[in-house]
Amino acid sequence: MSAEFWEMGGYAVYVWGSFAAALIIYVWNVVAPRRRRRAILGSLLETDE
Amino acid sequence: MNWTWFHRLASPPSFFRFAERFAPWFGGLGLLLLLVAWYGGLVLAPADYQQKDAFRIIYVHVPAAAVSLSLYIAMAVCGAITLIWRMKLAECVLVAIAPVGASFTALALLTGMLWGKPMWGAYWVWDARLTAELVLLFLYLGVVGLNGAFDDPRTAARACGLLAIVGAVNVPIVHYSVVWWNSLHQGSTILKFGKPNISASMAWPLYAGLLGTYLWCGYAVLRRAQNELLLRERGTRWVREMGTELAGTADVC
Amino acid sequence: MMSKRQKRMAAVAALVVGLALTAVFGFTAFRKNMMYFYTPTDILDHQVADDARLRLGGLVMVGSVKRGDGLQVDFTLSDCEKSLPVRYDGILPDLFKEGQGIVATGTMQNGVFVADEVLAKHDENYMPPELAKSLKTADGKHSCAPFKSATGVSPAPRSQAVSSSSAPRSALRAREGTVGRADGDVKGGVIVGRDAVVPS
């Protein structure tokens, strides 16, 4: 990618800042329920045995 | 009226299996659409005549703002079902939506601030649109907090349902604030009657991003609702069976 | 006799209806207070105290921008009905230009609005620069529809809008809605579907 692309016409901080924030939120929305499921399944097995 | 079909449809094990089958599709398709949308928005779409490259923030801001309102409506509907029919599944979905909605409302506010500074000249102004969206965030956080404040999940869900319904009055205020009152925020580009005010070359990544974000939220809500069902139904036979069935795959899924 | 479920249904319905009515009445009564800014028409039609801080929104009239010493800038702000001279000493937003919608914060001093903050209010139209150029009036064409009179009794739309005394040829012209601002006529007293057009 060219330097021009990363500069975003001088608005790099705002554009890339927004997309970085979005990436964090999108990833969190997948990771958080998965971790919770693992914890719940673990506790279910513990109480079973 | 006979509502038995309604109850059968919403039986916890059948919903759990439905979610188990379809959540991966929601997530996979959502991811595909989002990759296309971000590539299209950042690389392929031309810069705007007025806002130059700063307008590209639209591709994260508008989908986040759209789902923040849609999820709230879904949450309020679950709230009504919870209060009227005392349906366990609606309680789970209600509680599942709140953190997802809160996260996307926060994202809409944050990206809006990052867009407002270079274009308007200010990160934040107290106009009707921005203030109402902030109230929306507090409503979501209120539901999350209220749910955590009760020991009994069923009592908690009823309290949350009431708050969700009361707060629903804010949804049309957010959407129509730019029409009813003077605001610094501009009017709607696509979610309005008539032709969208955006060129096709800039519009398609936005539509892909919207659909992708809805699917992504669908994935998150399904998975969270599954978790709630497992917790509430623990000790029942279907959860025991499901638990051993899923335990082997827990690390991969 | 209603069943328990029907009673709960009625309670929820009553709650929703009650809230909706409260909101409608409340926001109708306080409509003026929900406005982020006033228009030149609002300010000229009403007595405004000299030290009252308020926000003024409108379009920067073409040909009215005069740069002074340092950062000082003078321009005329219009809502397609009336216009007010504005003076500002500070950094302007990137989008500031003639024909652009802006919101200024400040006070009225001897008929001049002295601003200490100027924010850009851009429109919701997005297009590539080539397309904007090919549209004859695209650059600088901004609708007056987003600048609604807070008092709700703006005068009947006039065919000829205000013109800048210094550059009458390139002044804002009122035209029947081309951008199709369907939201322009949502509330009574709103300026309906007209654009400020800059002849190219």
Side-chain angles (χ1 to χ4, degrees), chain B residues 1 3 7 46-51 55 58 80 82-86 115 118-122 124-128 162 165-167 169 173 177-189 192-193 197-199 201-202, chain C residues 5 8-9 12 15-16 19-20 23 27 31 34-39 93-95 97 100 103 117-129 131-132 138-139 141-142 146-150 179-183 186-187:
Chain B
M1 217 188 289
W3 292 99
H7 291 273
D48 182 51
Y49 81 108
Q50 183 179 216
Q51 305 191 32
F55 105 97
I58 201 174
T82 298
L83 288 176
I84 297 168
W85 289 279
R86 307 276 150 96
W115 196 359
M119 292 298 105
W120 298 344
W124 185 266
V125 294
W126 293 100
D127 85 344
L162 195 62
I165 292 170
V166 170
V169 74
I173 294 174
S177 53
V178 291
V179 178
W180 291 337
W181 305 300
N182 279 333
S183 57
L184 189 62
H185 195 287
Q186 69 279 14
S188 298
T189 298
K192 64 180 182 92
F193 292 110
N197 296 352
I198 181 166
S199 292
S201 58
M202 301 152 114
Chain C
R5 185 184 298 145
R8 293 197 295 249
M9 210 184 285
V12 169
L15 179 69
V16 171
L19 279 166
F27 288 122
R31 181 163 189 269
M34 298 294 294
M35 293 295 190
Y36 184 64
F37 55 81
Y38 296 101
T39 61
D94 288 8
L95 290 184
K97 64 174 187 304
Q100 174 68 47
V103 176
E117 186 188 41
V118 168
L119 301 176
K121 176 171 166 52
H122 61 75
D123 59 31
E124 65 277 33
N125 303 315
Y126 302 93
M127 62 185 110
L131 183 64
D139 196 23
K141 184 173 83 176
H142 296 275
F147 302 96
K148 303 178 261 282
S149 171
V179 176
R181 293 289 312 207
D183 47 343
V186 163
K187 282 270 167 169

Side-chain angles (χ1 to χ4, degrees), chain C residues 24-165:
Chain C
V24 169
F25 288 135
F27 288 122
T28 309
F30 294 108
R31 181 163 189 269
K32 228 192 303 188
N33 305 59
M34 298 294 294
M35 293 295 190
Y36 184 64
F37 55 81
Y38 296 101
T39 61
T41 306
D42 292 331
I43 290 172
L44 287 169
D45 287 356
H46 296 82
Q47 204 66 36
V48 176
D50 261 10
D51 54 346
R53 259 179 77 80
L54 41 95
R55 294 191 200 94
L56 175 68
L59 299 176
V60 178
M61 289 228 306
V62 173
S64 74
V65 178
K66 286 189 212 70
R67 312 250 168 196
D69 295 336
L71 290 170
Q72 189 180 301
V73 58
D74 286 277
F75 54 90
T76 309
L77 215 53
S78 165
D79 58 6
C80 298
E81 289 291 337
K82 296 185 176 178
S83 59
L84 265 178
V86 180
R87 170 163 294 181
Y88 174 62
D89 196 351
I91 296 161
L92 291 163
D94 288 8
L95 290 184
F96 183 91
K97 64 174 187 304
E98 297 188 339
Q100 174 68 47
I102 65 145
V103 176
T105 312
T107 54
M108 281 301 289
Q109 287 171 22
N110 305 318
V112 177
F113 190 84
V114 180
D116 49 45
E117 186 188 41
V118 168
L119 301 176
K121 176 171 166 52
H122 61 75
D123 59 31
E124 65 277 33
N125 303 315
Y126 302 93
M127 62 185 110
E130 306 87 69
L131 183 64
K133 253 176 240 156
S134 70
L135 290 173
K136 209 176 155 194
T137 55
D139 196 23
K141 184 173 83 176
H142 296 275
S143 172
C144 270
F147 302 96
K148 303 178 261 282
S149 171
T151 45
V153 279
S154 78
R158 271 177 259 152
S159 56
Q160 280 298 312
V162 284
S163 62
S164 164
S165 55

